[in-house]
Amino acid sequence: GAVVSQHPSRVICKSGTSVKIECRSLDFQATTMFWYRQFPKKSLMLMATSNEGSKATYEQGVEKDKFLINHASLTLSTLTVTSAHPEDSSFYICSVYPAGEYNEQFFGPGTRLTVL
Amino acid sequence: DAKTTQPPSMDCAEGRAANLPCNHSTISGNEYVYWYRQIHSQGPQYIIHGLKNNETNEMASLIITEDRKSSTLILPHATLRDTAVYYCIVRVGNSGYALNFGKGTSLLVTP
């Protein structure tokens, strides 16, 4: 299966700062990547779909100006949480969908964000 | 995507088979049944998927009823490392769309 990495795995920041999370597909090119958020004891919620070379598509209720997504290459998508607040503390997970031979999506290991 | 219903939690003794049910009564003819699991504080992991035939791989078996309204994921010999939340997801295969995760079943494998 495909390998997806995320960096950092864990980050603690002060309220009001911005945090960038990277998602990389290591062994294939992905035109589409997805960003999910997961609060404690809850299921994964889709935040946005990241498309290489175009603007991301955000789910209803997700502020596009707060969660900036950049999909600059076929192997890298970044999620920037701007002006983070304690309520943004969550587990952020990316996934990639390698169209063609695969039917499944592959997920990164997740990034634990804690905003103080 | 069709809605799925799973029990919130299950227990299984180590070494025994774990049978996780999923109801998907509104499944469409072109929708597949996918199973993923999420071990605590990790990203979800693909397990198996199927359309109408039973499927088996190195991780598990998937049994889909003839009317396709329900399915069962079978872990033949559960280990402590199989403790995780298991998600049954129904969607059109190879569609390129994101997965919609429900609440899943929290499986606890006990010694």
Side-chain angles (χ1 to χ4, degrees), chain A residues 28-44:
Chain A
F28 63 90
Q29 295 180 331
T31 56
T32 302
M33 295 184 178
F34 304 102
W35 286 96
Y36 295 82
R37 178 169 54 180
Q38 185 176 33
F39 292 107
K41 300 188 185 301
K42 299 294 185 181
S43 188
L44 284 79

Side-chain angles (χ1 to χ4, degrees), chain B residues 10-111:
Chain B
M10 294 182 64
D11 291 348
C12 177
E14 188 178 20
R16 305 296 293 269
N19 298 294
L20 293 90
C22 179
N23 287 324
H24 31 78
S25 58
T26 61
I27 191 170
S28 302
N30 63 346
E31 289 184 312
Y32 288 70
V33 180
Y34 286 81
W35 283 84
Y36 284 76
R37 73 179 182 183
Q38 185 180 25
I39 296 171
H40 182 63
S41 293
Q42 296 183 24
Q45 175 189 24
Y46 165 82
I47 301 174
I48 199 168
H49 75 280
L51 183 62
K52 54 183 179 180
N53 296 324
N54 297 337
E55 301 289 343
T56 295
N57 62 21
E58 64 278 4
M59 290 183 67
S61 294
L62 174 60
I63 308 298
I64 302 174
T65 58
E66 192 168 343
D67 63 8
R68 303 210 320 125
K69 292 185 177 182
S70 66
S71 60
T72 301
L73 178 75
I74 301 173
L75 308 178
H77 305 287
T79 71
L80 299 180
R81 287 175 293 183
D82 291 322
T83 292
V85 178
Y86 287 76
Y87 297 98
C88 169
I89 301 169
V90 170
R91 54 164 287 176
V92 176
N94 211 16
S95 67
Y97 294 113
L99 296 169
N100 291 318
F101 287 83
K103 296 181 179 180
T105 295
S106 179
L107 175 67
L108 175 64
V109 181
T110 57

